Amino acid sequence: MLDPTLLRQNPADLAERLRTTRGFELDASSLEALEAERKQIQMRTQELQNLRNTRSKAIGQAKAKGEDASALLAEVAGFGDELKASEARLDTIKAELEAIALGIPNLPHESVPVGADESDNVEQHRWGTPREFDFEVKDHVELGARHGWLDGDAGAKLSGARFTVLRGGLARLHRALAQFMLDLHTGEHGYVETNVPLVVNADSMRGTGQLPKFEDDLFKTEVGETTRYLIPTSEVPLTNLVRDEIVDADALPLRMTAHSMCFRAEAGAHGRDTRGMIRQHQFEKVELVTIATPDTSHDEHERMTRCAEVVLERLGLPYRRMLLCTGDMGFAAAKTFDLEVWLPSQQTYREISSCSNCESFQARRMQARWRNPATGKPEPAHTLNGSGVAVGRAMIAVMENNQNADGSITVPDALRPYMGGLERLD
């Protein structure tokens, strides 16, 4: 959520910034009209509340003296209906203003390039050289078909499209990747391993920006009258750990990591990457989340992205870092770096990690604050999140980049301790 003063003081300027950077149309005139009505009704409501309080006090004093208070009682009854109506209208207007605010995306940081879509993203650097093969390259689906290790048909039988069953050596490789990433981020990068719920309430989804805008992309459960949501990423529960909290400055930066299942309905993604495991309804990620002070968050953003890069480098996977333009960033992000890994079967780089600084956007929604020692007052914290990295996509990249002519897969050195010393998946 943006700073409310931006919405109140100059909505026309805000609307222009959102239009030119985000392609988002904010109805500034309606917002101004609502805000003007809110001010007017709030003033009148306060007047009536003050009048009620003073008259109630006068009634009490009159009764204590044995005086006739009927005239005062009649006066209070006279404006009681107006006060009720005024309070009800004020609540309605506030709800309308909040609904508008919850639907507005974050403003991009000044360093983010203005653009419409991914074609305007800016490459920052590359690492590694894509391997040249002297045989016909197979994609991960063909490689996984050996021994029935990657079985989309079984996943569809059990759950429907975009679910996959992994078996044998491939299931072990998948598990090894997650363990390797957790050990790296906790042992070398200073993140605290955290185990979080996979099902959260609406407040948690609202806090990080999934609700109300992206409800159609979420899986949800209904038990009795209680609705809960399956997490699309462990960013949601990790970040919400500081919801409605005031964190001491000494505790920041707060760095957390979690390996979890993730669930996405992907309502708007039909027909995209339907082959194999590139885009699944259920997948796993090792997530990185940091709660930081405003003056350190952009350094933390660079640090977090570098932590994700180290994963790919240790696995020997060529990648590139992209700075996303304003039109390609996520709803809550102020600045995002994407890491794209090389996939030989597609002869292109594909996203494997997205690291974002949301600045105070999520914190305002969550009322997540830190106490500034300079003022002694609580202020919105800055929140950051990133994939460190997506486990399934890392497995795909390892399979394709390390394939051999006979269809076997060479296990990267970094993973062999987690595979019982195994050097190849035959």
Side-chain angles (χ1 to χ4, degrees), residues 98-158:
E98 182 180 26
I100 292 172
L102 288 173
I104 299 173
N106 201 356
L107 288 169
H109 186 263
E110 59 185 11
S111 63
V112 175
V114 176
D117 53 39
E118 63 182 16
S119 64
D120 294 314
N121 296 341
V122 179
E123 183 175 320
Q124 303 289 288
H125 61 250
R126 296 188 182 196
W127 184 92
T129 302
R131 175 184 168 192
E132 293 186 8
F133 293 85
D134 57 4
F135 57 87
E136 186 176 349
V137 169
K138 297 181 176 66
D139 70 7
H140 71 283
V141 178
E142 295 172 288
L143 292 166
R146 296 183 64 188
H147 314 300
W149 282 350
L150 192 158
D151 194 337
D153 290 338
K157 174 184 175 180
L158 298 174

Side-chain angles (χ1 to χ4, degrees), residues 343-364:
L343 292 186
S345 68
Q346 299 183 15
Q347 286 292 291
T348 191
Y349 291 92
R350 295 299 304 268
E351 179 198 336
I352 194 169
S353 172
S354 189
C355 298
S356 297
N357 185 354
C358 298
E359 295 187 339
S360 62
F361 187 82
Q362 292 178 326
R364 291 185 188 279

